[in-house]
Amino acid sequence: MWEGLRLQVFFLCLGATLWSAAAAATYRGSGPREHAHRRHLSLHRHRERGKEGQVLHRSKRGWVWNQFFVIEEYTGPDPVLVGRLHSDVDSGNGNIKYILSGEGAGTIFVIDDKTGNIHATKTLDREEQAQYTLTAQAVDRDTNKPLEPPSEFIVKVQDINDNPPEFLHGPYYARVAEMSNVGTSVIKVTATDADDPTYGNSARLVYSILQGQPYFSVEPQTGIIRTALPNMDREARQEYDVVIQAKDMGGHMGGLSGTTQVKITLTDVNDNPPKFAQGVYAMAVSEDKVPGEEVGRLKAKDPDLAENGLVDYRILEGDGMNLFEITKDSETQEAVIKLKKTVDFETKRSYTLKVEASNPHVDSRFIAWGPYKDTTIVKISVEDADEPPSFMAPGYNFEVEENAPAGTLVDIIPRYTDLEEFFIINHEDGIIKTTRPLDRETQAWHNISVSATEIGGHHQDAKVRVNIKVKDVNDNAPEFAAQNEVLVCENVSPGKLIETVSATDKDEMAHRQHFHFSLAPEVANNHSFSIKDNRDSTASIFVIRKGLSRMSQDVYHLPIQINDNGVPPMSSTNTLIIRVCSCDSKDTILSCNVEPFILSAGLSTGALIAILACIVILLAIVVLFVALRRQKKEPLILFEEEDIRENIITYDDEGGGEEDTEAFDIATLQNPDGANGFLPRKDIKPELQYPMRPDLRPIGNSVDVDDFIKTRISDADNDPTAPPYDSIQIYGYEGRGSIAGSLSSLESVTTDSDLDYDYLQSWGPRFKKLADLYG
């Protein structure tokens, strides 16, 4: 590669030298003609501007520059001549000074200020900078006065093939499925060349494969790698190292090249069936093994990977299909044969199974390469063991009817445990019997444990769970599902549905069990309510009476008979409570309480307030009347000169009966001769004792009782410790032994339901109004 580069540089340097000599000779020998040409070019360009921008004038001098070229990577001993600046006003006497400015001026490019020759003093690299923009100026050497306007020109670095192709993204890694067809695209590689693609073939690349044949090929122009051989097998070889070369100059001799590595991996497809290593596998199992224990393992190998290498197992046939089962260990991909049922050495000593291994995921492209399965034979021998007694089943479920008499046979099982002693078992034959009647509603299931013990040998035992279900019999009567009161308005219309009742039964409710409803015989002919059996285990209650009265009866007890269709049939009588309530015009219940009916439900709020105000006024008048009567002084004795015990004495205190001696000191009236001096009041307890008035003197035997009482009243009125009003004493004790009974109504509480006022009808017309109100 570098030899070709050096050869190109040699030829370019030789060409540059010859071109520089020819250019110098041309400048020296053909100066006037070149000047004329430049002047002509300048005039032509000014004419073109005149056509476009309407700037029309004649240029007298030629001072126009376009671009110069310099070859890159020149390594000769002398600076490279880039070009020459010349002005028409230059007569060659050295009065004009040429000045160069711009990119690289003075460092990379230098100018001879007398001749205008421009040389490159350094080696240029087009890949670093492809062109330089410079400005030329011609000034008077003495005065530095510009003789030509500044002229800008470009020095373009001419490319040579000095950069080899590079793979910037290498090395590459690619994957392709095994067994792919020839020409399957694997990956595309791309190289870049820093040389100028617009100049020559320096950047024209061609791809070729140096390593990896005959398995892969590469397209020369695009760099796409493709498979070149059919049926490449991953199981034979999985990875390939391929080397790709990119060469410039269109791949011709002398071009530069670069390489990259591509690691290609074949991915797996399901192209291999599973295979058993052996045609026959031998295993053994002891007869004392329990179901679920492992018997042995076997494996079919599949060289494919991941899901392509998965293997499923199953038992195709054999005399042990019901005794053994096969599962798969997902980690090791092994078939695990387990005991499904217990085996008995004395019954059968060997079993044979045919096992199949197959791929669950089959690739349809390779279905013709199948079948993707394999089979083998597994022979299992049974080993003898000293085993305990065994039950015929892992558990037992028996049934026995509830209420069955003691001694009822349940079933035959060996020894058992029954903590509540509902059952007994025969130790010889295992017959289970009940010890007492069972109730399903109390306990529907009985779970007991039964054990069988070996009499001889090692006395081994076995246990089993026995579940006994108590079968239901119809021994419970139906009843209401809910015990709720039914509320009905007084103004209910006849024929209205007021309630729908349903029933429940403690017995086991079968889907065919139904309930029948009817009124009890004692109320079958009542005139208030009726019942309709809906034939769906519900019944509807209707009102047949026009209107109900809370005053006459506020609660009705309606007995309803419920029958079931069990065997034997059961029935019961349940009472439905119906309460009559007060409702408004929209049948909204207002009150259902038991209370006196003193006001009509239709009174407005204003009317109620007026009635209450009247009642308050009447009560105030009564209180005032009583107060005035108490202030009135009436004589206690109506008849003079008669024994006090033979007269009727009127006083404001209400006595407590014959045994009440605290209300009034009757002894004073009975024996007025013994009364002299000050007698204290008994209705209050005075705080101070006052001495006897001096004007009081003993009364003789012929004292007048009226005067005596008046004297005592005067003393009471003048006593400061006594209230200035007559006192009323309330007695809660009527006294025992009175044959008259109580006349007081202060503590009497009665209701309409307690008294019968029908006798008022016989009292005559004067009590007719009272009899109408309460009769």
Side-chain angles (χ1 to χ4, degrees):
M1 179 179 70
W2 293 110
E3 292 178 356
L5 177 61
R6 284 195 293 268
L7 184 61
Q8 290 183 26
V9 171
F10 172 75
F11 283 117
L12 287 174
C13 291
L14 181 59
T17 303
L18 295 176
W19 179 82
S20 298
T26 302
Y27 279 116
R28 289 192 299 269
S30 304
R33 185 175 59 183
E34 182 181 5
H35 294 166
H37 173 72
R38 292 180 182 274
R39 190 180 299 113
H40 174 75
L41 180 62
S42 175
L43 180 60
H44 173 73
R45 292 187 177 177
H46 278 80
R47 287 176 178 175
E48 292 296 323
R49 286 188 57 195
K51 293 179 181 179
E52 296 176 0
Q54 300 301 324
V55 181
L56 302 176
H57 61 274
R58 182 180 298 273
S59 177
K60 296 181 179 181
R61 301 178 180 90
W63 182 252
V64 178
W65 310 97
N66 186 9
Q67 63 182 8
F68 293 109
F69 295 91
V70 61
I71 193 168
E72 69 168 337
E73 303 293 345
Y74 176 72
T75 58
D78 299 323
V80 178
L81 177 63
V82 178
R84 180 185 179 187
L85 301 179
H86 183 76
S87 174
D88 290 346
V89 299
D90 187 1
S91 60
N93 56 7
N95 293 329
I96 296 178
K97 181 180 179 181
Y98 294 97
I99 300 173
L100 186 66
S101 62
E103 295 179 331
T107 57
I108 300 175
F109 302 102
V110 295
I111 188 170
D112 188 341
D113 60 354
K114 294 181 179 181
T115 63
N117 292 332
I118 301 173
H119 290 83
T121 61
K122 295 183 179 180
T123 301
L124 302 180
D125 187 0
R126 190 199 66 84
E127 285 71 38
E128 292 183 2
Q129 187 166 348
Q131 64 184 19
Y132 297 84
T133 302
L134 299 171
T135 302
Q137 236 179 339
V139 299
D140 187 277
R141 184 177 297 274
D142 297 329
T143 63
N144 284 331
K145 180 181 179 181
L147 301 177
E148 295 285 356
S151 177
E152 186 178 275
F153 63 95
I154 296 173
V155 177
K156 191 171 184 181
V157 182
Q158 196 168 23
D159 183 51
I160 64 172
N161 190 19
D162 60 340
N163 291 282
E166 293 182 354
F167 291 92
L168 301 180
H169 303 289
Y172 294 87
Y173 298 90
R175 300 165 65 90
V176 65
E178 63 172 334
M179 300 297 172
S180 297
N181 296 327
V182 175
T184 301
S185 176
V186 179
I187 192 174
K188 179 180 181 180
V189 296
T190 303
T192 59
D193 196 320
D195 293 324
D196 188 359
T198 63
Y199 180 76
N201 294 326
S202 298
R204 182 186 173 190
L205 305 181
V206 174
Y207 299 92
S208 61
I209 184 168
L210 301 182
Q211 178 182 321
Q213 295 174 329
Y215 307 103
F216 300 96
S217 63
V218 62
E219 291 183 357
Q221 305 302 326
T222 62
I224 298 176
I225 301 176
R226 300 181 182 275
T227 58
L229 281 182
N231 301 330
M232 286 192 292
D233 191 5
R234 184 200 64 83
E235 288 74 27
R237 182 178 177 182
Q238 185 173 358
E239 294 182 349
Y240 295 85
D241 293 324
V242 178
V243 178
I244 301 297
Q245 174 185 267
K247 191 174 183 180
D248 59 13
M249 299 299 292
H252 295 95
M253 182 179 296
L256 305 179
S257 64
T259 61
T260 187
Q261 287 188 345
V262 182
K263 185 178 285 295
I264 301 176
T265 303
L266 298 184
T267 59
D268 184 61
V269 298
N270 190 9
D271 58 339
N272 295 281
K275 290 290 183 181
F276 284 108
Q278 301 173 211
V280 177
Y281 290 84
M283 300 179 183
V285 61
S286 178
E287 65 175 343
D288 59 355
K289 296 294 183 180
V290 297
E293 290 196 31
E294 181 179 324
V295 177
R297 295 187 174 213
L298 64 157
K299 183 178 182 180
K301 295 183 178 180
D302 190 329
D304 293 322
L305 300 178
E307 68 175 12
N308 296 322
L310 295 179
V311 181
D312 288 343
Y313 302 91
R314 64 170 180 159
I315 299 176
L316 294 180
E317 58 185 26
D319 54 1
M321 290 187 63
N322 297 329
L323 299 176
F324 301 93
E325 61 182 355
I326 191 168
T327 60
K328 184 179 73 172
D329 188 333
S330 58
E331 294 183 359
T332 63
Q333 293 294 309
E334 292 179 315
V336 182
I337 297 179
K338 295 182 179 180
L339 193 63
K340 188 176 180 181
K341 296 180 180 179
T342 57
V343 293
D344 187 11
F345 176 80
E346 289 75 20
T347 304
K348 188 174 178 62
R349 300 188 179 186
S350 64
Y351 297 91
T352 301
L353 302 175
K354 186 176 182 180
V355 178
E356 178 189 77
S358 61
N359 287 137
H361 305 286
V362 178
D363 195 331
S364 59
R365 296 175 299 174
F366 311 105
I367 194 70
W369 296 11
Y372 289 87
K373 61 181 65 176
D374 193 17
T375 59
T376 188
I377 301 298
V378 179
K379 292 186 177 181
I380 303 175
S381 60
V382 181
E383 298 177 346
D384 189 20
D386 186 10
E387 53 189 349
S390 62
F391 293 96
M392 301 300 295
Y396 295 88
N397 293 320
F398 300 138
E399 293 182 350
V400 59
E401 290 187 352
E402 64 174 330
N403 302 324
T408 300
L409 174 64
V410 178
D411 215 302
I412 302 176
I413 285 292
R415 180 180 167 194
Y416 79 108
T417 57
D418 179 19
L419 300 180
E420 299 184 9
E421 298 182 354
F422 286 103
F423 307 94
I424 58 174
I425 191 169
N426 189 302
H427 298 285
E428 301 295 333
D429 52 17
I431 296 177
I432 299 177
K433 297 181 179 180
T434 59
T435 60
R436 48 182 151 167
L438 306 177
D439 186 10
R440 189 200 65 85
E441 288 72 35
T442 302
Q443 187 173 353
W445 284 88
H446 296 267
N447 302 318
I448 61 177
S449 177
V450 178
S451 64
T453 305
E454 187 180 32
I455 297 177
H458 296 83
H459 298 283
Q460 300 184 80
D461 61 355
K463 294 183 179 180
V464 70
R465 190 75 172 176
V466 178
N467 303 316
I468 300 176
K469 179 181 179 181
V470 182
K471 296 172 62 177
D472 184 49
V473 297
N474 195 29
D475 58 344
N476 290 278
E479 58 187 12
F480 278 149
Q483 298 289 341
N484 297 326
E485 287 188 353
V486 179
L487 305 180
V488 61
C489 295
E490 286 183 304
N491 57 351
V492 63
S493 58
K496 183 176 182 180
L497 172 67
I498 61 173
E499 183 69 9
T500 298
V501 295
S502 60
T504 184
D505 197 328
K506 293 181 180 179
D507 293 319
E508 193 170 16
M509 299 286 291
H511 63 282
R512 294 184 178 180
Q513 187 171 9
H514 297 286
F515 299 108
H516 175 71
F517 299 84
S518 61
L519 293 177
E522 59 268 21
V523 296
N525 298 322
N526 79 94
H527 302 291
S528 298
F529 305 98
S530 66
I531 188 171
K532 177 186 177 182
D533 193 335
N534 297 326
R535 299 184 181 277
D536 60 353
S537 296
T538 64
S540 301
I541 310 299
F542 296 91
V543 176
I544 59 176
R545 178 179 175 181
K546 183 178 181 181
L548 302 174
S549 176
R550 296 176 63 198
M551 295 181 60
S552 60
Q553 185 173 351
D554 59 344
V555 177
Y556 292 86
H557 295 83
L558 185 66
I560 297 176
Q561 183 173 317
I562 308 175
N563 299 273
D564 62 16
N565 61 341
V567 179
M570 301 292 292
S571 65
S572 66
T573 300
N574 295 258
T575 302
L576 182 66
I577 300 176
I578 304 174
R579 186 175 296 277
V580 182
C581 301
S582 174
C583 304
D584 58 11
S585 59
K586 297 181 180 180
D587 292 337
T588 302
I589 296 177
L590 301 177
S591 175
C592 296
N593 298 327
V594 180
E595 57 186 3
F597 304 96
I598 59 174
L599 295 174
S600 172
L603 292 178
S604 64
T605 304
L608 292 175
I609 294 175
I611 293 174
L612 291 176
C614 294
I615 293 174
V616 171
I617 294 173
L618 291 176
L619 290 176
I621 294 174
V622 172
V623 171
L624 181 62
F625 177 76
V626 172
L628 292 175
R629 285 294 305 270
R630 287 186 178 279
Q631 292 181 0
K632 184 178 180 181
K633 305 299 182 180
E634 295 181 357
L636 297 177
I637 305 300
L638 297 179
F639 303 96
E640 300 178 357
E641 299 179 358
E642 290 187 4
D643 196 305
I644 192 63
R645 291 171 293 179
E646 298 178 358
N647 294 285
I648 298 177
I649 301 175
T650 302
Y651 56 97
D652 293 331
D653 292 335
E654 183 173 349
E658 296 176 352
E659 292 188 0
D660 183 14
T661 60
E662 297 297 324
F664 198 86
D665 191 3
I666 196 66
T668 304
L669 298 179
Q670 292 178 344
N671 189 15
D673 295 338
N676 55 28
F678 175 77
L679 293 178
R681 293 171 61 96
K682 293 186 178 183
D683 55 342
I684 63 172
K685 182 177 181 180
E687 296 180 359
L688 299 175
Q689 297 291 337
Y690 291 90
M692 184 181 302
R693 290 172 50 186
D695 56 342
L696 294 179
R697 55 183 181 276
I699 302 175
N701 294 335
S702 60
V703 64
D704 192 324
V705 176
D706 187 46
D707 294 337
F708 170 79
I709 292 176
K710 291 180 179 180
T711 301
R712 293 295 183 264
I713 291 174
S714 177
D715 293 340
D717 293 337
N718 297 322
D719 188 358
T721 62
Y725 48 81
D726 293 339
S727 62
I728 298 177
Q729 289 183 328
I730 305 302
Y731 298 91
Y733 177 66
E734 294 290 341
R736 292 174 297 179
S738 173
I739 62 175
S742 175
L743 297 178
S744 174
S745 63
L746 295 179
E747 294 182 353
S748 300
V749 179
T750 61
T751 61
D752 293 343
S753 60
D754 296 334
L755 301 177
D756 185 9
Y757 297 98
D758 292 339
Y759 62 89
L760 295 176
Q761 301 289 346
S762 60
W763 283 19
R766 297 181 60 184
F767 297 90
K768 185 176 184 305
K769 184 65 175 178
L770 188 62
D772 293 337
L773 291 175
Y774 293 91

